[in-house]
Amino acid sequence: MTLPAGIRVAWREVPAGSKRRDVSRALLAELLPGAWFTSRCPVCGADHGRVRVEGADAAASVSYAGGWAVVATASGHESVGVDAVPGHAAGLERVLPPVVSDRPAGLETSATRAEAEHRATGGEQARAWARVEAVLKADGRGLGVDPRCVEVTLNGARWSARVRSPSSDRAEAGDDGEAGARERRWRGWDLDGPDGVVLAVAVEARADDVSV
């Protein structure tokens, strides 16, 4: 599908004997000429983890799957997340969030049931996990957040998401009025990647984005 202006995704096969990071950095340099890229793990301080862009008003993200390096850049955005997952991935039921559909109420139950059944076969699990990981990468906390806190609302290959704090449910019941401030919202897209790999990309939802 066509992504909004400024958001770009590219991939390249990692040659045998090559470092996959070298491949992803080369791709990023092609998408953002003149920029340079750094990574710093917030836990151990080593040179790995979330990619930060310097020299350009853009964000970047990388992922690897099935011998491929995948990158995303988003000009004018503070953050972007991309995730690549082998299409046959399965066994993720316990960590996937519930399915939500923004279809008309009369169709929601059947649509939700159909996707849940498809997930059970493993056919949709890879796609669903790619969405969750893309959101958590864009969020910056990664799997430091329980993946089940990511609520994805589907609209075909386009979707929106929010990362709920553990206290959000209590707050919505009136116990904590600050949950809305902690909740972050995202918009995303499903993509077909290289053969056998599914992709998802997410960026922050802006205040004037009425589609989320």
Side-chain angles (χ1 to χ4, degrees):
M1 69 174 297
T2 302
L3 292 170
I7 301 174
R8 303 176 67 186
V9 176
W11 55 83
R12 182 169 295 160
E13 192 168 13
V14 179
S18 297
K19 295 182 179 179
R20 63 184 192 175
R21 175 171 160 157
D22 291 344
V23 176
S24 65
R25 290 295 172 90
L27 273 172
L28 288 174
E30 292 173 14
L31 296 183
L32 295 174
W36 61 98
F37 313 94
T38 60
S39 298
R40 182 61 58 89
C41 176
V43 176
C44 69
D47 186 19
H48 65 85
R50 187 178 186 183
V51 177
R52 300 189 181 278
V53 180
E54 299 182 50
D57 179 19
S61 180
V62 303
S63 187
Y64 306 97
W68 295 87
V70 180
V71 305
T73 60
S75 297
H77 288 267
E78 293 183 1
S79 63
V80 62
V82 68
D83 197 56
V85 181
H88 55 73
L92 300 168
E93 299 93 341
R94 288 177 294 179
V95 293
L96 286 172
V99 177
V100 180
S101 173
D102 65 355
R103 298 181 183 183
L107 300 177
E108 184 171 336
T109 300
S110 60
T112 301
R113 184 183 303 118
E115 179 155 336
E117 291 173 352
H118 191 36
R119 269 194 191 178
T121 68
E124 179 62 15
Q125 288 187 21
R127 185 75 73 182
W129 183 251
R131 296 176 193 130
V132 169
E133 280 263 46
V135 169
L136 292 180
K137 285 183 176 182
D139 176 86
R141 292 175 290 175
L143 293 178
V145 174
D146 186 338
R148 292 169 296 181
C149 290
V150 180
E151 182 181 277
V152 176
T153 300
L154 302 177
N155 182 12
R158 183 176 179 177
W159 43 271
S160 61
R162 59 177 181 166
V163 179
R164 298 166 62 94
S165 71
S167 61
S168 288
D169 291 333
R170 296 194 305 272
E172 289 175 0
D175 294 337
D176 181 355
E178 297 181 357
R182 292 195 298 273
E183 184 181 277
R184 304 185 70 183
R185 293 181 178 267
W186 310 89
R187 54 186 180 132
W189 300 265
D190 293 339
L191 303 171
D192 291 323
D195 188 33
V197 177
V198 298
L199 310 177
V201 60
V203 297
E204 76 280 2
R206 292 166 172 166
D208 59 352
D209 187 353
V210 297
S211 66
V212 177

